[in-house]
Amino acid sequence: MLCAIYKSAKKEGAYLYVPKKDDFSQVPDQLMQMFGKPTMVMMVNFAGRTLAQVDIEKVKQSINEQGFFLQLPPPPKNLLDEYKEHKARLKSE
């Protein structure tokens, strides 16, 4: 399966996967407005390949069912919560 990957002009770390280059016909208009002008990153052949940030099977399934896959960046870490958890662990030891 070939796939075109685009990065978002508006949302850092967001990527849109579509089965055909420059074909956004299956992507909802509201999503395209939020995504901004897509910038082509690469064409990828999924055969025998893995992806760094997402499960390739989920990408394939989404493309087959919806006609696209949207990859969003992971949520930012809450450093204050991590610090509190760390302090709590130290106290309990």
Side-chain angles (χ1 to χ4, degrees):
M1 169 187 262
L2 278 176
C3 179
I5 304 174
Y6 296 83
K7 70 178 181 176
S8 173
K10 291 185 175 181
K11 178 124 175 99
E12 183 71 30
Y15 293 89
L16 186 62
Y17 297 64
V18 293
K20 294 179 185 169
K21 183 179 177 186
D22 298 331
D23 181 4
F24 304 102
S25 60
Q26 297 297 312
V27 182
D29 290 337
Q30 187 176 11
L31 175 57
M32 287 304 297
Q33 289 173 2
M34 291 173 24
F35 193 80
K37 185 177 188 230
T39 302
M40 175 78 152
V41 175
M42 69 176 87
M43 290 291 294
V44 174
N45 185 346
F46 286 158
R49 187 167 177 128
T50 60
L51 298 172
Q53 301 291 325
V54 292
D55 179 1
I56 198 162
E57 293 305 318
K58 288 182 182 179
V59 175
K60 289 179 186 178
Q61 182 180 358
S62 181
I63 289 174
N64 286 331
E65 291 174 4
Q66 299 177 352
F68 69 95
F69 175 78
L70 177 64
Q71 175 185 328
L72 296 172
K77 292 182 180 180
N78 186 325
L79 297 178
L80 179 59
D81 286 344
E82 285 183 17
Y83 174 75
K84 288 177 181 177
E85 288 173 16
H86 177 72
K87 292 288 279 184
R89 280 194 302 264
L90 290 176
K91 285 183 180 180
S92 66
E93 292 179 354

Coordinates of all heavy atoms in Angstrom, one line a residue:
M1 N 0.8 -1.2 0.0 CA 0.0 0.0 0.0 C 0.9 1.2 0.0 O 1.7 1.4 0.9 CB -0.9 0.0 1.2 CG -1.6 1.3 1.5 SD -2.5 1.4 3.0 CE -4.2 1.0 2.5
L2 N 0.7 2.1 -1.0 CA 1.4 3.4 -1.0 C 0.6 4.4 -0.2 O -0.7 4.4 -0.2 CB 1.6 3.9 -2.4 CG 2.7 3.3 -3.2 CD1 2.7 3.8 -4.6 CD2 4.1 3.6 -2.5
C3 N 1.3 5.4 0.3 CA 0.6 6.4 1.1 C 1.4 7.7 1.1 O 2.6 7.7 1.1 CB 0.5 5.9 2.6 SG -0.3 7.1 3.7
A4 N 0.7 8.8 1.0 CA 1.3 10.1 1.0 C 1.1 10.7 2.4 O 0.1 10.7 3.0 CB 0.7 11.1 0.0
I5 N 2.2 11.3 2.9 CA 2.2 11.8 4.3 C 2.5 13.3 4.2 O 3.4 13.8 3.5 CB 3.3 11.2 5.2 CG1 3.0 9.7 5.2 CG2 3.2 11.8 6.6 CD1 4.1 8.9 6.0
Y6 N 1.6 14.1 4.9 CA 1.7 15.6 4.9 C 1.8 16.1 6.3 O 1.1 15.5 7.2 CB 0.4 16.2 4.3 CG 0.3 15.8 2.8 CD1 -0.3 14.6 2.4 CD2 0.7 16.7 1.8 CE1 -0.4 14.3 1.1 CE2 0.6 16.4 0.5 CZ 0.0 15.2 0.1 OH -0.1 14.9 -1.2
K7 N 2.5 17.1 6.5 CA 2.6 17.8 7.9 C 1.7 19.0 7.9 O 1.4 19.6 6.8 CB 4.0 18.1 8.3 CG 4.7 19.2 7.5 CD 6.0 19.5 8.1 CE 6.7 20.6 7.3 NZ 8.0 20.9 7.9
S8 N 1.2 19.3 9.1 CA 0.3 20.4 9.2 C 1.0 21.8 9.3 O 2.1 21.9 9.9 CB -0.5 20.2 10.5 OG -1.3 21.4 10.8
A9 N 0.4 22.8 8.7 CA 1.0 24.1 8.8 C 0.5 24.8 10.1 O 1.1 25.8 10.5 CB 0.5 25.0 7.6
K10 N -0.5 24.3 10.7 CA -1.1 24.9 11.9 C -0.8 24.2 13.2 O -0.7 24.8 14.3 CB -2.6 25.1 11.8 CG -3.0 26.1 10.7 CD -4.5 26.2 10.7 CE -5.0 27.3 9.8 NZ -6.5 27.5 9.9
K11 N -0.7 22.9 13.2 CA -0.5 22.1 14.4 C 0.8 21.4 14.4 O 1.0 20.4 13.6 CB -1.7 21.1 14.6 CG -1.6 20.3 15.8 CD -2.8 20.4 16.6 CE -2.8 19.5 17.8 NZ -2.3 20.1 19.0
E12 N 1.8 21.8 15.2 CA 3.1 21.1 15.3 C 2.9 19.7 15.6 O 2.2 19.3 16.5 CB 3.9 21.8 16.3 CG 5.3 21.3 16.5 CD 6.2 21.7 15.3 OE1 6.0 22.8 14.7 OE2 7.1 20.9 15.0
G13 N 3.6 18.8 14.8 CA 3.6 17.4 15.1 C 2.4 16.6 14.6 O 2.3 15.4 14.8
A14 N 1.5 17.3 13.9 CA 0.3 16.6 13.3 C 0.6 16.2 11.8 O 1.2 17.0 11.1 CB -0.9 17.5 13.3
Y15 N 0.3 15.0 11.5 CA 0.5 14.5 10.1 C -0.8 13.9 9.6 O -1.5 13.2 10.3 CB 1.7 13.5 10.1 CG 3.0 14.1 10.5 CD1 3.4 14.2 11.8 CD2 3.8 14.6 9.5 CE1 4.6 14.8 12.1 CE2 5.0 15.2 9.8 CZ 5.4 15.3 11.1 OH 6.6 15.9 11.4
L16 N -1.0 14.0 8.3 CA -2.1 13.5 7.6 C -1.6 12.5 6.6 O -0.8 12.8 5.7 CB -2.9 14.6 7.0 CG -4.2 14.2 6.3 CD1 -5.2 13.7 7.4 CD2 -4.8 15.5 5.6
Y17 N -2.2 11.2 6.6 CA -1.8 10.2 5.7 C -3.0 10.0 4.8 O -4.1 9.8 5.2 CB -1.6 8.9 6.4 CG -0.5 8.8 7.4 CD1 -0.5 9.7 8.5 CD2 0.6 8.0 7.2 CE1 0.6 9.6 9.5 CE2 1.6 7.9 8.1 CZ 1.6 8.7 9.3 OH 2.7 8.7 10.2
V18 N -2.8 10.0 3.5 CA -3.8 9.8 2.5 C -3.3 8.8 1.4 O -2.1 8.7 1.2 CB -4.3 11.1 1.8 CG1 -5.0 12.0 2.8 CG2 -3.1 11.9 1.1
P19 N -4.2 8.0 0.8 CA -3.7 7.0 -0.1 C -3.2 7.5 -1.5 O -2.4 6.8 -2.1 CB -5.0 6.1 -0.3 CG -6.1 7.0 0.0 CD -5.6 8.0 1.0
K20 N -3.6 8.7 -1.8 CA -3.1 9.2 -3.1 C -2.5 10.6 -2.9 O -3.1 11.4 -2.2 CB -4.2 9.3 -4.1 CG -4.8 8.0 -4.5 CD -5.9 8.1 -5.5 CE -6.5 6.7 -5.8 NZ -7.7 6.8 -6.5
K21 N -1.5 10.9 -3.6 CA -0.8 12.2 -3.5 C -1.8 13.4 -3.8 O -2.5 13.3 -4.9 CB 0.4 12.3 -4.4 CG 1.2 13.6 -4.3 CD 2.4 13.6 -5.2 CE 3.1 14.9 -5.1 NZ 4.2 15.0 -6.0
D22 N -1.9 14.3 -3.0 CA -2.7 15.5 -3.2 C -4.2 15.3 -3.3 O -5.0 16.1 -3.8 CB -2.2 16.4 -4.4 CG -0.8 16.9 -4.2 OD1 -0.4 17.1 -3.0 OD2 -0.1 17.1 -5.2
D23 N -4.7 14.1 -2.8 CA -6.1 13.8 -2.9 C -6.7 13.8 -1.4 O -6.5 12.9 -0.7 CB -6.3 12.4 -3.5 CG -7.8 12.1 -3.6 OD1 -8.7 12.9 -3.2 OD2 -8.1 10.9 -3.9
F24 N -7.3 15.0 -1.1 CA -7.9 15.2 0.2 C -9.4 15.1 0.2 O -10.1 15.5 1.1 CB -7.4 16.5 0.8 CG -5.9 16.7 0.8 CD1 -5.3 17.4 -0.2 CD2 -5.2 16.0 1.8 CE1 -3.9 17.5 -0.1 CE2 -3.8 16.2 1.8 CZ -3.2 16.9 0.9
S25 N -9.9 14.4 -0.8 CA -11.4 14.4 -1.0 C -12.1 13.6 0.1 O -13.3 13.9 0.4 CB -11.7 13.7 -2.4 OG -11.2 12.4 -2.4
Q26 N -11.4 12.7 0.8 CA -12.0 11.9 1.9 C -11.9 12.6 3.2 O -12.5 12.2 4.2 CB -11.4 10.5 1.9 CG -11.7 9.7 0.7 CD -13.2 9.4 0.5 OE1 -13.9 9.0 1.4 NE2 -13.6 9.7 -0.7
V27 N -11.1 13.6 3.3 CA -10.8 14.3 4.6 C -11.9 15.4 4.8 O -12.1 16.2 3.9 CB -9.4 15.0 4.6 CG1 -9.1 15.7 5.9 CG2 -8.3 14.0 4.2
P28 N -12.6 15.4 5.9 CA -13.6 16.4 6.2 C -13.1 17.8 6.1 O -11.9 18.1 6.5 CB -14.1 16.1 7.6 CG -13.6 14.6 7.9 CD -12.4 14.4 7.0
D29 N -13.9 18.7 5.6 CA -13.5 20.1 5.4 C -13.1 20.7 6.7 O -12.1 21.5 6.8 CB -14.7 20.9 4.8 CG -14.9 20.5 3.3 OD1 -14.0 20.0 2.7 OD2 -16.0 20.8 2.9
Q30 N -13.8 20.4 7.8 CA -13.5 21.0 9.1 C -12.1 20.6 9.5 O -11.3 21.4 10.1 CB -14.5 20.6 10.1 CG -14.3 21.3 11.5 CD -15.4 21.0 12.4 OE1 -16.2 20.1 12.2 NE2 -15.5 21.8 13.5
L31 N -11.7 19.3 9.3 CA -10.4 18.9 9.7 C -9.3 19.6 8.8 O -8.3 20.0 9.3 CB -10.3 17.3 9.5 CG -8.9 16.7 9.7 CD1 -8.4 17.0 11.1 CD2 -9.0 15.2 9.5
M32 N -9.6 19.7 7.5 CA -8.6 20.4 6.7 C -8.4 21.9 7.1 O -7.3 22.4 7.0 CB -9.1 20.3 5.2 CG -8.9 19.0 4.6 SD -7.3 18.3 4.6 CE -6.3 19.5 3.7
Q33 N -9.5 22.5 7.5 CA -9.3 23.9 8.0 C -8.5 23.9 9.3 O -7.6 24.8 9.4 CB -10.7 24.5 8.3 CG -11.5 24.8 7.1 CD -12.9 25.3 7.4 OE1 -13.3 25.4 8.5 NE2 -13.7 25.5 6.4
M34 N -8.7 23.0 10.2 CA -7.9 22.9 11.4 C -6.4 22.5 11.1 O -5.5 23.0 11.8 CB -8.5 22.0 12.4 CG -9.8 22.5 13.0 SD -10.7 21.3 14.0 CE -9.5 20.2 14.7
F35 N -6.2 21.7 10.1 CA -4.9 21.2 9.8 C -4.1 22.2 9.1 O -2.9 22.3 9.2 CB -5.1 20.0 8.8 CG -3.8 19.2 8.6 CD1 -3.4 18.3 9.6 CD2 -3.1 19.3 7.5 CE1 -2.3 17.5 9.4 CE2 -2.0 18.5 7.3 CZ -1.5 17.6 8.2
G36 N -4.7 23.1 8.3 CA -4.0 24.1 7.5 C -3.5 23.6 6.2 O -3.9 22.5 5.8
K37 N -2.7 24.4 5.5 CA -2.2 23.9 4.2 C -1.2 22.8 4.4 O -0.2 22.9 5.1 CB -1.4 25.1 3.6 CG -1.0 24.7 2.2 CD -0.3 25.9 1.5 CE -0.1 25.5 0.1 NZ 1.2 25.7 -0.4
P38 N -1.5 21.6 3.8 CA -0.7 20.4 4.0 C 0.6 20.6 3.2 O 0.6 21.1 2.1 CB -1.5 19.3 3.5 CG -2.7 19.9 2.9 CD -2.7 21.3 3.1
T39 N 1.7 20.2 3.8 CA 3.0 20.2 3.2 C 3.5 18.8 3.0 O 3.6 18.0 4.0 CB 4.1 21.0 4.0 OG1 3.6 22.3 4.2 CG2 5.4 21.0 3.4
M40 N 3.8 18.4 1.8 CA 4.1 17.0 1.5 C 5.5 16.7 2.2 O 6.4 17.4 2.2 CB 4.3 16.8 0.0 CG 4.8 15.5 -0.4 SD 3.5 14.3 -0.3 CE 4.0 13.1 -1.5
V41 N 5.5 15.5 3.0 CA 6.7 15.1 3.6 C 7.3 14.0 2.8 O 8.5 14.0 2.6 CB 6.3 14.6 5.1 CG1 7.5 14.0 5.7 CG2 5.7 15.7 5.9
M42 N 6.5 12.9 2.5 CA 7.0 11.8 1.7 C 5.9 10.9 1.3 O 4.8 10.9 1.7 CB 8.0 11.0 2.6 CG 7.4 10.2 3.7 SD 8.5 9.2 4.7 CE 9.1 10.3 5.9
M43 N 6.3 10.0 0.3 CA 5.5 8.9 -0.1 C 6.1 7.7 0.5 O 7.3 7.5 0.6 CB 5.5 8.8 -1.6 CG 4.8 9.8 -2.4 SD 3.0 9.8 -2.2 CE 2.5 8.3 -3.0
V44 N 5.2 6.8 1.1 CA 5.7 5.6 1.8 C 5.0 4.4 1.2 O 3.8 4.4 1.0 CB 5.4 5.7 3.3 CG1 5.8 4.5 4.0 CG2 6.2 6.9 3.9
N45 N 5.8 3.3 1.0 CA 5.2 2.0 0.7 C 5.2 1.3 2.1 O 6.2 1.0 2.7 CB 6.0 1.3 -0.3 CG 5.4 0.0 -0.7 OD1 4.5 -0.5 -0.1 ND2 5.9 -0.6 -1.8
F46 N 4.0 0.9 2.5 CA 3.8 0.2 3.8 C 4.3 -1.2 3.8 O 4.4 -1.8 4.9 CB 2.4 0.3 4.3 CG 2.0 1.6 4.8 CD1 0.6 2.0 4.8 CD2 2.9 2.6 5.2 CE1 0.2 3.2 5.2 CE2 2.4 3.8 5.7 CZ 1.1 4.1 5.7
A47 N 4.6 -1.8 2.7 CA 4.9 -3.2 2.6 C 6.2 -3.5 3.5 O 7.3 -2.9 3.2 CB 5.1 -3.7 1.2
G48 N 6.1 -4.3 4.5 CA 7.2 -4.7 5.3 C 7.9 -3.6 6.1 O 9.1 -3.6 6.3
R49 N 7.1 -2.6 6.4 CA 7.6 -1.4 7.1 C 6.9 -1.1 8.4 O 5.8 -1.6 8.7 CB 7.3 -0.2 6.2 CG 8.0 1.0 6.6 CD 8.0 2.1 5.6 NE 8.6 3.2 6.2 CZ 9.5 3.9 5.7 NH1 10.0 3.6 4.5 NH2 10.1 4.9 6.3
T50 N 7.6 -0.4 9.3 CA 7.1 0.0 10.6 C 7.2 1.5 10.6 O 7.9 2.1 9.9 CB 7.8 -0.6 11.8 OG1 9.2 -0.1 11.7 CG2 7.7 -2.1 11.8
L51 N 6.4 2.2 11.5 CA 6.4 3.6 11.6 C 6.8 3.9 13.1 O 6.5 3.2 14.0 CB 5.0 4.2 11.4 CG 4.5 4.0 9.9 CD1 3.1 4.5 9.8 CD2 5.4 4.8 9.0
A52 N 7.5 5.0 13.2 CA 8.1 5.4 14.5 C 7.0 5.7 15.6 O 7.1 5.3 16.7 CB 9.1 6.5 14.4
Q53 N 6.0 6.5 15.2 CA 5.1 7.1 16.2 C 3.8 6.4 16.3 O 3.1 6.5 17.3 CB 4.8 8.6 15.9 CG 6.1 9.4 15.9 CD 6.7 9.6 17.3 OE1 5.9 9.7 18.2 NE2 8.0 9.7 17.4
V54 N 3.4 5.6 15.2 CA 2.0 5.0 15.2 C 2.1 3.6 14.7 O 3.1 3.2 14.1 CB 1.1 5.8 14.3 CG1 0.7 7.2 14.9 CG2 1.6 6.0 12.9
D55 N 1.1 2.8 15.1 CA 1.0 1.4 14.7 C 0.5 1.4 13.2 O -0.5 2.0 12.8 CB -0.1 0.7 15.5 CG -0.3 -0.7 15.1 OD1 0.3 -1.2 14.2 OD2 -1.2 -1.3 15.8
I56 N 1.3 0.8 12.3 CA 1.1 0.9 10.9 C -0.3 0.2 10.6 O -0.9 0.6 9.6 CB 2.2 0.2 10.1 CG1 2.2 0.7 8.7 CG2 2.3 -1.3 10.3 CD1 3.5 0.5 7.9
E57 N -0.7 -0.8 11.4 CA -1.9 -1.5 11.1 C -3.1 -0.6 11.4 O -4.1 -0.6 10.6 CB -2.1 -2.8 11.9 CG -1.1 -3.9 11.6 CD -1.1 -4.2 10.1 OE1 -2.2 -4.4 9.5 OE2 0.0 -4.4 9.5
K58 N -3.0 0.3 12.4 CA -4.1 1.3 12.6 C -4.1 2.3 11.5 O -5.2 2.7 11.1 CB -3.8 2.0 13.9 CG -4.0 1.2 15.2 CD -3.8 2.0 16.4 CE -4.0 1.1 17.6 NZ -3.8 1.8 18.9
V59 N -3.0 2.7 10.9 CA -2.9 3.6 9.8 C -3.6 3.0 8.6 O -4.5 3.6 8.0 CB -1.5 4.0 9.5 CG1 -1.5 4.9 8.2 CG2 -0.8 4.7 10.6
K60 N -3.3 1.7 8.3 CA -3.9 1.0 7.2 C -5.4 0.9 7.3 O -6.1 1.2 6.4 CB -3.3 -0.3 7.0 CG -1.9 -0.4 6.5 CD -1.4 -1.8 6.4 CE 0.0 -2.0 6.1 NZ 0.4 -3.4 6.0
Q61 N -5.8 0.5 8.5 CA -7.2 0.3 8.8 C -8.0 1.7 8.6 O -9.0 1.7 8.0 CB -7.4 -0.2 10.2 CG -8.9 -0.4 10.5 CD -9.1 -1.0 11.9 OE1 -8.1 -1.2 12.7 NE2 -10.3 -1.2 12.3
S62 N -7.4 2.7 9.2 CA -8.1 4.0 9.0 C -8.2 4.5 7.6 O -9.2 5.0 7.1 CB -7.3 5.1 9.9 OG -8.0 6.3 9.8
I63 N -7.1 4.3 6.8 CA -7.1 4.7 5.4 C -8.1 3.9 4.7 O -8.9 4.4 3.8 CB -5.7 4.5 4.8 CG1 -4.8 5.6 5.4 CG2 -5.8 4.6 3.3 CD1 -3.4 5.5 5.0
N64 N -8.2 2.6 4.9 CA -9.2 1.7 4.2 C -10.6 2.1 4.6 O -11.5 2.0 3.8 CB -8.9 0.2 4.5 CG -7.7 -0.3 3.8 OD1 -7.3 0.2 2.7 ND2 -7.0 -1.2 4.4
E65 N -10.9 2.4 5.9 CA -12.2 2.7 6.3 C -12.7 4.1 6.1 O -13.8 4.4 5.8 CB -12.4 2.3 7.8 CG -12.3 0.8 8.1 CD -12.3 0.5 9.6 OE1 -12.4 1.4 10.4 OE2 -12.1 -0.7 9.9
Q66 N -11.8 5.1 6.4 CA -12.1 6.5 6.3 C -11.5 7.3 5.1 O -12.0 8.3 4.8 CB -11.7 7.2 7.6 CG -12.3 6.7 8.8 CD -11.8 7.4 10.1 OE1 -10.9 8.2 10.1 NE2 -12.4 7.1 11.2
G67 N -10.5 6.7 4.5 CA -9.8 7.4 3.4 C -8.7 8.3 3.9 O -8.0 8.9 3.0
F68 N -8.4 8.3 5.2 CA -7.2 9.1 5.7 C -6.9 8.6 7.1 O -7.6 7.9 7.7 CB -7.6 10.6 5.7 CG -8.6 10.9 6.7 CD1 -8.2 11.4 8.0 CD2 -10.0 10.8 6.4 CE1 -9.2 11.7 8.9 CE2 -10.9 11.2 7.4 CZ -10.5 11.6 8.6
F69 N -5.7 9.0 7.6 CA -5.3 8.8 9.0 C -4.7 10.1 9.5 O -3.9 10.7 8.8 CB -4.3 7.7 9.1 CG -3.8 7.5 10.5 CD1 -4.6 6.8 11.5 CD2 -2.6 8.0 10.9 CE1 -4.2 6.7 12.8 CE2 -2.1 7.8 12.2 CZ -2.9 7.2 13.1
L70 N -5.1 10.5 10.6 CA -4.6 11.7 11.3 C -3.7 11.3 12.4 O -4.2 10.7 13.4 CB -5.7 12.7 11.7 CG -5.3 14.0 12.5 CD1 -4.5 14.9 11.5 CD2 -6.5 14.7 13.0
Q71 N -2.5 11.7 12.4 CA -1.5 11.5 13.5 C -1.3 12.7 14.3 O -0.9 13.8 13.7 CB -0.2 11.0 12.9 CG 0.9 10.8 14.0 CD 2.2 10.4 13.4 OE1 2.3 9.8 12.4 NE2 3.3 10.9 14.1
L72 N -1.7 12.7 15.5 CA -1.5 13.9 16.4 C -0.3 13.7 17.3 O 0.0 12.5 17.7 CB -2.8 14.1 17.2 CG -4.0 14.5 16.4 CD1 -5.2 14.5 17.3 CD2 -3.8 15.8 15.7
P73 N 0.3 14.7 17.7 CA 1.5 14.6 18.6 C 1.0 14.1 20.0 O -0.1 14.3 20.4 CB 2.0 16.0 18.7 CG 0.9 16.9 18.4 CD 0.1 16.1 17.4
P74 N 1.9 13.4 20.7 CA 1.5 13.0 22.1 C 1.3 14.2 22.9 O 1.8 15.2 22.7 CB 2.7 12.1 22.6 CG 3.8 12.6 21.7 CD 3.3 13.0 20.4
P75 N 0.4 14.0 23.9 CA 0.1 15.2 24.8 C 1.4 15.5 25.6 O 2.2 14.7 25.9 CB -1.0 14.7 25.8 CG -0.9 13.2 25.7 CD -0.4 12.9 24.3
P76 N 1.6 16.8 25.9 CA 2.8 17.2 26.6 C 2.8 16.6 28.0 O 1.7 16.4 28.6 CB 2.7 18.7 26.7 CG 1.3 19.0 26.5 CD 0.7 17.9 25.6
K77 N 4.0 16.3 28.5 CA 4.1 15.8 29.9 C 3.8 16.9 30.9 O 4.2 18.0 30.7 CB 5.5 15.3 30.1 CG 5.9 14.1 29.3 CD 7.3 13.6 29.6 CE 7.6 12.4 28.8 NZ 9.0 11.9 29.2
N78 N 3.1 16.5 31.9 CA 2.9 17.4 33.0 C 4.0 17.2 34.0 O 4.0 16.3 34.8 CB 1.5 17.2 33.7 CG 1.1 18.2 34.7 OD1 2.0 18.7 35.4 ND2 -0.2 18.5 34.8
L79 N 5.0 18.1 34.0 CA 6.2 18.0 34.8 C 5.8 18.1 36.3 O 6.5 17.5 37.1 CB 7.2 19.0 34.4 CG 7.7 18.8 32.9 CD1 8.8 19.9 32.6 CD2 8.3 17.4 32.7
L80 N 4.9 18.9 36.6 CA 4.5 19.1 38.0 C 3.9 17.8 38.6 O 4.3 17.4 39.7 CB 3.5 20.3 38.2 CG 3.0 20.5 39.6 CD1 4.1 20.9 40.5 CD2 1.9 21.6 39.6
D81 N 3.0 17.2 37.8 CA 2.5 15.9 38.3 C 3.6 14.8 38.4 O 3.6 14.0 39.4 CB 1.4 15.4 37.3 CG 0.1 16.1 37.4 OD1 -0.1 16.8 38.4 OD2 -0.7 16.0 36.5
E82 N 4.5 14.8 37.5 CA 5.6 13.8 37.6 C 6.5 14.1 38.8 O 6.9 13.2 39.5 CB 6.5 13.9 36.3 CG 5.9 13.3 35.1 CD 6.8 13.3 33.9 OE1 8.0 13.5 34.0 OE2 6.3 13.1 32.8
Y83 N 6.7 15.4 39.1 CA 7.5 15.7 40.3 C 6.8 15.3 41.5 O 7.4 14.7 42.5 CB 7.8 17.2 40.3 CG 8.4 17.7 41.5 CD1 9.8 17.5 41.7 CD2 7.7 18.4 42.5 CE1 10.4 17.9 42.9 CE2 8.3 18.8 43.7 CZ 9.7 18.6 43.9 OH 10.3 19.0 45.0
K84 N 5.5 15.5 41.6 CA 4.7 15.1 42.8 C 4.7 13.6 43.0 O 4.9 13.1 44.1 CB 3.3 15.6 42.7 CG 3.1 17.1 42.8 CD 1.7 17.6 42.6 CE 1.5 19.0 42.7 NZ 0.1 19.5 42.5
E85 N 4.6 12.9 41.9 CA 4.6 11.4 42.0 C 6.0 10.9 42.4 O 6.1 10.0 43.3 CB 4.3 10.8 40.6 CG 2.9 10.9 40.2 CD 2.6 10.5 38.8 OE1 3.5 9.8 38.2 OE2 1.5 10.8 38.2
H86 N 7.0 11.6 41.9 CA 8.4 11.2 42.3 C 8.6 11.5 43.8 O 9.2 10.7 44.6 CB 9.4 12.0 41.5 CG 10.8 11.8 41.9 ND1 11.5 10.6 41.6 CD2 11.7 12.6 42.6 CE1 12.7 10.7 42.1 NE2 12.9 11.9 42.7
K87 N 8.1 12.6 44.3 CA 8.3 13.0 45.7 C 7.5 12.0 46.6 O 8.0 11.6 47.7 CB 7.8 14.4 46.0 CG 8.6 15.5 45.4 CD 9.9 15.7 46.1 CE 9.7 16.5 47.3 NZ 10.9 16.8 48.1
A88 N 6.3 11.6 46.1 CA 5.5 10.7 46.9 C 6.2 9.3 47.0 O 6.1 8.7 48.0 CB 4.1 10.5 46.2
R89 N 6.8 8.9 45.9 CA 7.5 7.6 45.9 C 8.7 7.7 46.9 O 9.0 6.7 47.6 CB 8.0 7.2 44.5 CG 7.0 6.7 43.6 CD 7.6 6.0 42.4 NE 8.4 7.0 41.6 CZ 7.9 7.6 40.6 NH1 6.7 7.5 40.2 NH2 8.7 8.5 39.9
L90 N 9.4 8.8 46.9 CA 10.5 8.9 47.8 C 10.1 8.9 49.3 O 10.8 8.3 50.1 CB 11.3 10.2 47.6 CG 12.1 10.3 46.2 CD1 12.7 11.7 46.1 CD2 13.1 9.2 46.2
K91 N 8.9 9.5 49.6 CA 8.4 9.5 50.9 C 8.0 8.1 51.4 O 8.1 7.7 52.5 CB 7.3 10.4 51.1 CG 7.7 11.9 51.1 CD 6.4 12.8 51.3 CE 6.8 14.2 51.3 NZ 5.7 15.1 51.5
S92 N 7.5 7.3 50.4 CA 7.0 6.0 50.8 C 8.1 4.9 50.9 O 7.9 3.8 51.4 CB 5.9 5.5 49.8 OG 6.5 5.3 48.5
E93 N 9.3 5.2 50.5 CA 10.4 4.3 50.5 C 11.0 4.2 51.9 O 11.1 5.0 52.7 CB 11.4 4.6 49.5 CG 10.9 4.3 48.1 CD 12.0 4.7 47.0 OE1 13.0 5.2 47.3 OE2 11.7 4.4 45.9

